[in-house]
Amino acid sequence: IEAGLGVVLAENLVSSGDRLKLNNVYTYSDFRFVGDAQFGDNTIAGVPPHVFRSELRYDHRDDWFLALNMDYVSEADVTFDNTFSAPSYTLMGYGAGYEVTKNISTYVTGRNLFDTEYISNFSTAVTASESSALFYAGDGRSFYGGVTIRF
């Protein structure tokens, strides 16, 4: 199940034509074996049951924006026998940008602002232990900037 909700919290907040908006996306996954000889009705490894992303964004009428965002990913089974899992994590970030013209814009973003250690991806296995090489570390605190050109 996937659901999204965007809500305009305020308009004309600081100046005429500006907007404060809250955008949310939530995904729920419940994939299972059904009566499998080896795994019974276990959940299928590799997919976190809950993923949530939220962004609070301020758009100014002078073509610039500021945004704060949050990503949450729940604990997920790594093994098909459901005895080993990857922990949940929450990341915070920001974004800002300016539309120079209708075809050119600039942006800066910051990700994982609190430098959280997390597992961003993993391989699945029938069984595993703490010493299994199945995990991939997520990126630390990082900052990006760029220019977008539309043709």
Side-chain angles (χ1 to χ4, degrees):
I1 298 172
E2 187 169 272
L5 176 65
V7 178
V8 175
L9 301 174
E11 291 183 301
N12 306 317
L13 186 66
V14 176
S15 63
S16 177
D18 68 354
R19 177 186 289 189
L20 182 65
K21 188 171 182 181
L22 181 64
N23 294 308
N24 300 283
V25 175
Y26 171 73
T27 303
Y28 173 71
S29 301
D30 185 18
F31 300 106
R32 299 181 169 278
F33 291 100
V34 178
D36 183 79
Q38 184 175 4
F39 302 115
D41 294 329
N42 287 356
T43 59
I44 295 177
V47 181
H50 307 280
V51 176
F52 177 69
R53 178 167 174 84
S54 185
E55 179 183 67
L56 180 64
R57 179 175 166 136
Y58 173 77
D59 286 295
H60 193 270
R61 70 175 181 181
D62 291 333
D63 299 323
W64 59 269
F65 75 90
L66 296 172
L68 295 173
N69 57 61
M70 180 201 72
D71 292 311
Y72 169 77
V73 177
S74 69
E75 179 178 85
D77 286 314
V78 173
T79 58
F80 292 105
D81 64 5
N82 293 165
T83 60
F84 198 64
S85 60
S88 65
Y89 63 87
T90 302
L91 303 177
M92 301 297 292
Y94 76 88
Y98 176 65
E99 189 175 279
V100 180
T101 69
K102 292 295 178 192
N103 296 330
I104 300 172
S105 59
T106 63
Y107 66 90
V108 293
T109 61
R111 298 180 188 165
N112 193 5
L113 297 179
F114 298 112
D115 205 21
T116 303
E117 292 183 3
Y118 67 103
I119 296 169
S120 66
N121 203 355
F122 55 87
S123 298
T124 57
V126 173
T127 60
S129 68
E130 294 288 333
S131 62
S132 298
L134 300 171
F135 299 108
Y136 301 92
D139 292 334
R141 182 181 303 119
S142 55
F143 302 94
Y144 303 90
V147 176
T148 301
I149 301 172
R150 294 175 197 84
F151 295 96

